[in-house]
Amino acid sequence: MWWMMNEGGGHYCSKKSDDICGDVCGQESSRLSMSRIRCILRGIDFKTYIFVFVMIPTCIFGIYLHGQKISYFLRPLWESPPKPFHDIPHYYHENVSMETLCKLHGWGIREFPRRVYDAVLFSNEVDILTLRWQELYPYITQFVLLESNSTFTGIPKPMVFASNRDQFKFVEPRLTYGTIGGRFKKAENPFVEEALQRVALDQLLKIAGITDDDLLIMSDVDEIPSRHTINLLRWCDDIPQVLHLRLKNYLYSFEFLVDNNSWRASVHRYQTGKTRYAHYRQSDEILADAGWHCSFCFRHISEFIFKMKAYSHNDRVRFSHYLNPKRIQRVICKGADLFDMLPEEYTFKEIIGKMGPIPHSYSAVHLPSFLLENADKYKFLLPGNCIRENG
């Protein structure tokens, strides 16, 4: 085609060219694309190079390291807060009669107290279990404990309670102990195994002899109702069918008070065929200041590492160095987060207000009496004793 050729027989370029890419015309077609790329690169200034090859990879790496924090910080944009509980004021003084206390809550008084069953799934929390059962001992009809040889994440575990059962002789006459074999499905959602163990706990409760209108405490081992709270509920008539307990929320020990908003613990008036053991919200009613939730309150560093790998939120261990014993010890004494996470809140005000380490508390008032009576043995749970034992 003569209009596409120049006098020398070469290709004719009908497009305007500049000094940068003027030599592209006349190139062989196989070399044309590479020439254009070279032209484009020659036309990019140094600042653009910096942006493309430094800033973008840095941003990608930052998202990889802190993506979870970004997600948690932006949570108020994509998730609304749950419906507020109806808080029931909690009245108590050791010198006030039970009839008066029940009346203050708007309840009647019974002729005799209800029976009370305390049921828990057990992993490895020997010290906290001791504290719990000693606190509740005077008012519990039957202690019910289920233990598995598998964690929720499918990791084999020793039968810790069975190995330490001699420490709990004080509850032996009132203990119903059961075991369940693990399925060891590591790729499965941990909450599936947890749910199956809770179903098994329902069956164990029936073996323990629970009947209609008995009180059933549903809570994790480290969610401890106060003794006087359970005594109140067993004596008072017309209490809610399902009542959540608002607990003081501690981390690592009673030195680090996070807030007063732990709510998953609950007390049920048992109904055959209807009551199911669960650990989620089951009512809008909640009783204020009803006990303590002491999360990750362990004596040994190895216990921290075990729980971090074993419990249902093990996906929070995003990097192997999170499990380094020296790091864990530093985090405990600082009151920081083991998983380097932002607070799980629903408003920017609450998130920002709780960012950073938890302030140290130096109050040991209104704690479980057994803890104070045995302070030397359990000093790791008291203010000013953040150093943990190795092993």
Side-chain angles (χ1 to χ4, degrees), residues 214-218 241-242 266-270 275 282:
D214 289 342
L215 290 187
L216 171 59
I217 303 172
M218 295 187 189
Q241 195 70 43
V242 178
S266 58
V267 175
H268 299 240
R269 291 165 56 191
Y270 189 82
T275 303
Q282 303 175 72

Side-chain angles (χ1 to χ4, degrees), residues 223-388:
E223 297 167 338
I224 308 173
S226 62
R227 180 181 299 176
H228 66 80
T229 295
I230 299 305
N231 195 34
L232 174 77
L233 296 177
R234 76 189 190 116
W235 270 107
C236 294
D237 216 353
D238 305 318
I239 67 173
Q241 195 70 43
V242 178
L243 181 63
H244 281 275
L245 305 179
R246 192 177 294 283
L247 310 179
K248 291 181 179 179
N249 199 14
Y250 293 90
L251 188 63
Y252 310 139
S253 72
F254 293 102
E255 180 173 349
F256 298 104
L257 176 61
V258 180
D259 55 36
N260 295 294
N261 296 328
S262 178
W263 57 266
R264 290 185 179 273
S266 58
V267 175
H268 299 240
R269 291 165 56 191
Y270 189 82
Q271 292 178 286
T272 303
K274 186 174 181 180
T275 303
R276 296 286 183 269
Y277 196 98
H279 198 235
Y280 50 75
R281 182 166 176 170
Q282 303 175 72
S283 169
D284 293 334
E285 306 288 327
I286 191 167
L287 183 64
D289 199 6
W292 313 268
H293 180 192
C294 199
S295 184
F296 281 90
C297 291
F298 296 119
R299 182 187 299 271
H300 302 100
I301 293 293
S302 60
E303 294 174 289
F304 285 85
I305 295 173
F306 176 82
K307 181 169 182 177
M308 291 171 74
K309 295 189 296 183
Y311 84 140
S312 297
H313 297 287
N314 72 319
D315 58 314
R316 295 176 178 178
V317 184
R318 295 176 294 131
F319 306 104
S320 59
H321 75 271
Y322 282 8
L323 302 175
N324 181 282
K326 292 183 179 179
R327 174 191 176 273
I328 291 173
Q329 181 61 80
R330 289 195 303 270
V331 168
I332 295 169
C333 287
K334 189 177 180 181
D337 191 275
L338 282 171
F339 306 99
D340 195 25
M341 292 173 55
L342 290 182
E344 298 182 76
E345 300 295 345
Y346 295 92
T347 67
F348 289 115
K349 180 181 179 180
E350 291 174 325
I351 292 173
I352 294 172
K354 289 186 177 180
M355 288 175 64
I358 305 165
H360 294 254
S361 169
Y362 299 98
S363 172
V365 179
H366 301 305
L367 296 181
S369 59
F370 181 79
L371 171 60
L372 299 181
E373 290 166 355
N374 297 270
D376 288 341
K377 183 177 180 179
Y378 297 99
K379 65 179 181 180
F380 69 95
L381 293 174
L382 294 170
N385 297 280
C386 69
I387 302 299
R388 294 298 187 265

